[in-house]
Amino acid sequence: SHLQHHQMYTPMYTHPSAVVNTHPGLSPHPGNMHQSVHESECDPRELEMFAERFKQRRIKLGVTQADVGAALANLKIPGVGCLSQSTICRFESLTLSHNNMIALKPILHTWLEDAEKQARERKAELENGLSGDKRRKRTSIAAPEKRSLEAYFAVQPRPSGEKIAQIAEKLDLKKNVVRVWFCNQRQKQKRMKFSAIAAGMGLGHH
DNA sequence: TGTATGCAAATAAGG
DNA sequence: CCCTTATTTGCATAC
């Protein structure tokens, strides 16, 4: 239960095979992929090379990270929609978790092949009506609302569903947004408590 | 103007 | 349906 360890994909010195799992004794389960397919492609080295080559080829195509992210939706792969510029950027710089890198690799690989193929065919006709695809939306909670939520949290960190609905209405936010906010706030609280303890143990700095 | 990044929403998966 | 824990992304905004 180590929170906040968003173990980034560390390019160097990672053993080719001893990765993937965050918890030695717990369930691995990234969905339920059959890791038997091709494990050679999980090699950090291989990923590092792919990411670099991907960027080179992308630039050669004259496409931006944002373009790639948006274009992924046109690929129409089952569970794949578009991604943000941020994510593409992080993939190229290997600042995503190792598992995340592995999950995204085949998708970006497909896009690259497709894009180069089209470029070859001078198929100059971009985006048509297109993609009824969904991108994960991120709500931006304004400062005033955030302050109110913090005030509610201070008095009651775990409001009932009823209370949450009430707060949501008062702040003009979706109930689910408020519910998730409280969940995330609880996680944050826990992280803070941990780092505070760590600091108290002298593991911190100062 | 494209690219990084910090902070933290949204999701996944087991209860 | 909601929670927790672990993770995956995206908005905003700094380079």
Side-chain angles (χ1 to χ4, degrees):
Chain A
S1 357
H2 42 192
L3 317 122
Q4 90 184 140
H5 293 185
H6 299 190
Q7 42 116 260
M8 290 314 195
Y9 174 71
T10 22
M12 54 298 259
Y13 72 63
T14 317
H15 298 181
S17 56
V19 196
V20 177
N21 211 329
T22 320
H23 239 143
L26 295 180
S27 54
H29 80 323
N32 64 59
M33 320 194 275
H34 311 192
Q35 23 69 295
S36 53
V37 186
H38 40 315
E39 42 198 277
S40 54
E41 306 290 46
C42 289
D43 176 11
R45 263 313 194 188
E46 153 69 28
L47 268 177
E48 194 177 345
M49 272 174 36
F50 177 77
E52 195 177 326
R53 192 138 168 7
F54 176 86
K55 183 167 188 174
Q56 290 177 178
R57 294 163 76 183
R58 186 203 102 220
I59 292 174
K60 173 159 284 184
L61 284 168
V63 176
T64 66
Q65 297 174 339
D67 292 333
V68 175
L72 294 181
N74 305 326
L75 234 41
K76 294 189 167 56
I77 297 176
V80 183
C82 57
L83 289 175
S84 65
Q85 171 262 321
S86 300
T87 302
I88 303 304
C89 169
R90 286 169 174 143
F91 180 86
E92 294 184 343
S93 58
L94 298 93
T95 47
L96 289 174
S97 70
H98 186 246
N99 283 344
N100 203 177
M101 287 294 292
I102 288 177
L104 258 32
K105 185 190 170 190
I107 295 168
L108 295 179
H109 181 265
T110 299
W111 170 80
L112 188 56
E113 300 281 85
D114 198 60
E116 295 188 319
K117 179 180 179 181
Q118 279 187 267
R120 221 175 296 131
E121 305 174 354
R122 274 302 87 102
K123 276 268 180 72
E125 44 60 41
L126 308 176
E127 58 176 317
N128 304 307
L130 71 293
S131 60
D133 251 350
K134 50 260 180 165
R135 117 171 345 197
R136 181 189 198 148
K137 277 310 185 187
R138 184 196 174 99
T139 304
S140 287
I141 302 175
E145 286 67 40
K146 200 160 286 188
R147 280 195 292 280
S148 296
L149 288 170
E150 282 162 355
Y152 283 117
F153 187 84
V155 42
Q156 173 53 67
R158 322 173 52 100
S160 63
E162 192 75 334
K163 183 66 179 175
I164 288 178
Q166 191 182 315
I167 293 174
E169 181 180 36
K170 189 164 306 189
L171 300 181
D172 190 35
L173 290 170
K174 294 297 210 50
K175 179 183 177 184
N176 196 52
V177 168
V178 174
R179 185 181 62 72
V180 170
W181 185 86
F182 273 90
C183 285
N184 284 318
Q185 196 60 27
R186 275 176 230 125
Q187 286 195 307
K188 183 181 177 184
Q189 195 80 145
K190 243 164 231 184
R191 273 199 304 277
M192 285 164 56
K193 185 166 58 187
F194 264 98
S195 54
I197 292 173
M201 288 173 72
L203 297 178
H205 24 268
H206 186 65

